[in-house]
Amino acid sequence: MLFGTLIFSQNKISGTIIDAKTLKPLNGVEIFINNHQKSEVIAKDNHFLIQFDSGITTASFFKRNYKTEVLNFSDLNFQNLVVKMQSERTEHIQEVMLTGKSKKKYKNRKENPAYAIMQEVWKRKRTNGLANYDDYQYKEYEKIEIGLNNIDSTFKQRKIFNKLEFIFDYADSANFDKKLSLPVFFNETIFKTYGRNKPDKQENKIIVANKFSGFNNNERMAASAKNQFKDVNLYDNTLNFFNIGFPSPVGTDGFASYDYELTDSLSVNGNDCFKIKYFPRRKELIAFQGDLFISRDTYNIVRATLKSPNKINVNFVNGIYMEIEYDSPNETIFLPKKTYTELEMSIFTKKKDSKSILFKRTDQYSDYLFNQNFAENLLKDKRQTLSDEDLTKSDEYWEKNRDEPLQESEKNVYKMVDELHKVPKFERIINLVEIVQSGYFNAWNAIDFGSIYSAYGYNEVEGDRVRVGARTYFSANDMWRIAGYTAYGFKDRKFKYGLEGKYMFNRDNRATLGFGSKNDVMQLGASLMYDEGIMTPSYGSSGILTSGTNASLSFVKQNNLFFSLEPVRNFVLRMDASLQNISTANPEKFNLDFYKNGALKSGLTDFHTTFSFVLQPGAKYVQYGVDRTTLRTLAPTFILKYTHGFANVLDGDFDYNKLQFLYAQKILLGNLGKTNVNFEAGKNFDAVPLAIQNIIPGNQSYFLSFNTFSLLKYYEFVADTYSTVNVEHHFNGKLISYLPLIKKLKLRELIFFRGAYGTLSDASKNINFDNKRYSAPDQHVYYEYGFGLENIGLGNFKILRVDFNWRGNYLDRPEVKRFAVKFGIQVVF
């Protein structure tokens, strides 16, 4: 009697509910007491506390896609219960090939049940689950593989593979059509990321270990491969692939680009999910198709697939495929768990069986920890590179720390590369690739000759011009480098030269000291932000085809000493001291004479110092030596330069002050395309002659020259104070895709606008002998506008661009061109 009384007198139970397999909390569980037909409560989180009017004998826990769990309270245990629920089924999500549009048609989006679900997703939109914690840390394991795809028997018999036939023993022949895939490069990296949200947002990604295989220049190959894969957040409206904006199917404006169809309800990793198919509203759009798996309880993305349509209108790209999977430490937070991406690229054709290069990347995230209040020094940038010796770990380390074991094809890359480097022919092939890429060819393992791309030019003063250069090159990460060139003009019969040496004595902050000297013909009116570099070719004076006569060339003798420092990543300070003598290279047609103290002089001596501040937040580089290559990103560029000229110091003619500013950025606008913005402004605070004045840059060639004015002649506008803007918007084929016949060409359209305004003081005009010739665009803003067609070519090799330019005003000037067509080559995606 006492035992029964104790049982039936207990009228309160409490505890937590979790998934029996994953041990993750479950919410939305209905709880039935004493076999009642109506649930007593629905647990909104995984904790429950129930008080019943009478005694509790049984409690039944019900959740969709889970086995009902029934507890009988005969053991007197009513408090702090742990209820483990078994999933009834687990779906393995495979890639879904979408071949057509939805069969269901709706009068408007509100009738589509998928729209109501996506509205709930947008309401709960978050940038990242990590933002919900004061601080966080996690491990990332990344592996990248590069392989040759669609190899057949005919391809294997080509002469280039003579003595290299053994590599096909490592090919993967699992494809049903007997086409081989040959992995040639493999890279593994382990990162540890530390982040803090309060009081300020900070994050630092530390490389823990790295393992190379592949070509000689492993770091360059790995960094270039990594740069092809962009970190994407599905909740953003725009996803960045190849610096092209793709509309996100999870973005708030997704219905402008996609159709959605609710197809199923299922369980994914213990989460009840809606399954929604999505596909582009028009097949010509640069967009994705795939599946979204959305939590029924919290409307978070649990898993997603993204696949590009066939023959995507992106240069050199045959296809993109991506799987993203999220994990949930609790019922309200979803964090990245695994991302798998494939990029198939080909130079010439988009045919399905074309020879292509396949990039694969797998990222796995684990060991999440939150609110640990870790040490401040873990947020400090260590300036690491993939080549650092301390990142090399033993095979045992990798076996223990890989989040998933390597596949057989991945293991074979390490074996194959060891054999490849023993074959001289392979080394010759790699050297040829590096020559095409860099423009230099190596000799004696210490000297590079080049660049082959500046070997020939033509201008009115020199006529045909040839240039030969060389540089020291022991490795890509040399801490010092000496470079030089000599050039000869067959018309003026004069030799020119340039020589520069630089040494980086501190890698951590890239402290570099350099000196250079040159004596050459230059086009000073081709840019506003003048480059102090000695080895930089002057393409304005070395064009092959020019529009009209280019007589306004200068002969420059320059000596330059510089020091640069990068105290914070992507922020460079540089100090230059330059002594230069500038005179006209074509006295009969171009006059640089000026007055000083009432006397007429024909050659200017200028000694000045320049302080430059360059900020490129988010920029990425290859190598860590004195020279480094910038990878293509969307990082903005900010440059601030202050120049002071000294009179009577080293025979300098003028004392002057100049301030200049530049801002440049590429901005993705989702399905609207991409905008390139360039803004420059500057001021000379003192009267100076033409040789060191600000020249609004013209372009007298038939080729595209960015940040110049296509319908201006050199020195047509001169200004003490100036501002210029250059805006290009690329529609990525969005407009042309509506034209019935032209859309088959898959051209991409762009529009542009360029403007310049400036003033020129009477003192600066009158200091020049030819003072009536020069003026500034001070009456109105000078402007040009037009449109262009890009993506011109065949197959995947569409690198030509044609611009149609109109001049907007200042049409009453002599020999003005109102219209011009410019051609260019763009090796872009």
Side-chain angles (χ1 to χ4, degrees), residues 33 108 140 152 155 226 245 304 358 362 581 603 614 686 698 747 769 784 801 812:
I33 302 299
N108 55 62
E140 177 185 353
D152 53 24
F155 183 76
K226 288 175 186 287
L358 189 63
T362 301
N581 299 99
V614 182
D686 306 276
L747 302 177
F769 174 77
E784 299 176 355
R801 169 177 163 178
D812 55 347

Side-chain angles (χ1 to χ4, degrees), residues 456-641:
Y456 173 77
Y458 178 86
N459 61 66
E460 183 175 328
V461 172
E462 298 176 281
D464 295 300
R465 168 191 168 102
V466 293
R467 170 173 157 154
V468 179
R471 66 183 183 184
T472 60
Y473 197 93
F474 297 93
S475 76
N477 294 318
D478 289 344
M479 301 294 282
W480 63 274
R481 182 150 292 150
I482 298 175
Y485 74 89
T486 183
Y488 181 77
F490 287 89
K491 183 177 180 180
D492 65 355
R493 299 181 180 181
K494 291 181 179 179
F495 282 97
K496 294 86 181 176
Y497 68 85
L499 181 67
E500 184 178 58
K502 45 191 174 182
Y503 172 64
M504 188 170 71
F505 52 88
N506 188 313
R507 170 188 159 182
D508 291 338
N509 55 25
R510 295 191 60 81
T512 305
L513 186 66
F515 174 79
S517 178
K518 72 178 174 184
N519 191 338
D520 204 350
V521 173
M522 299 185 64
Q523 179 60 67
L524 298 180
S527 64
L528 282 164
M529 196 70 75
Y530 179 73
D531 187 355
E532 304 281 353
I534 297 297
M535 292 296 295
T536 305
S538 177
Y539 292 108
S541 59
S542 301
I544 299 176
L545 295 175
T546 58
S547 172
T549 301
N550 177 15
S552 53
L553 295 167
S554 301
F555 201 82
V556 179
K557 298 178 181 179
Q558 180 184 13
N559 294 293
N560 176 256
L561 176 68
F562 78 87
F563 172 75
S564 66
L565 187 71
E566 190 177 33
V568 180
R569 185 181 290 271
N570 298 328
F571 178 55
V572 177
L573 307 177
R574 175 166 168 147
M575 293 159 280
D576 289 85
S578 293
L579 175 65
Q580 54 184 356
N581 299 99
I582 304 173
S583 60
T584 177
N586 192 3
E588 296 178 358
K589 298 182 179 180
F590 180 53
N591 195 314
L592 282 178
D593 293 354
F594 63 93
Y595 293 100
K596 180 183 179 183
N597 299 327
L600 185 65
K601 297 188 65 175
S602 59
L604 171 74
T605 299
D606 171 45
F607 175 68
H608 67 264
T609 57
T610 302
F611 295 87
S612 304
F613 306 88
V614 182
L615 176 64
Q616 292 181 289
K620 297 180 180 179
Y621 306 94
V622 181
Q623 287 106 34
Y624 61 79
V626 67
D627 288 330
R628 61 182 181 182
T629 302
T630 305
L631 297 172
R632 290 182 178 178
T633 65
L634 298 176
T637 298
F638 301 90
I639 301 177
L640 181 65
K641 293 181 69 173

Side-chain angles (χ1 to χ4, degrees), residues 400-413:
K400 182 179 179 181
N401 287 277
R402 286 189 185 102
D403 284 359
E404 66 179 20
L406 294 183
Q407 300 176 10
E408 193 64 31
S409 62
E410 295 168 337
K411 294 178 181 178
N412 285 339
V413 181

Side-chain angles (χ1 to χ4, degrees), residues 29-30 125 381 388 429 485-486 489 652 676 699 735 807 819:
V29 178
E30 296 182 75
K125 178 180 177 180
D381 184 6
D388 291 350
I429 294 173
Y485 74 89
T486 183
N676 299 341
N699 177 12
L735 302 181
R807 180 166 175 151
F819 173 77

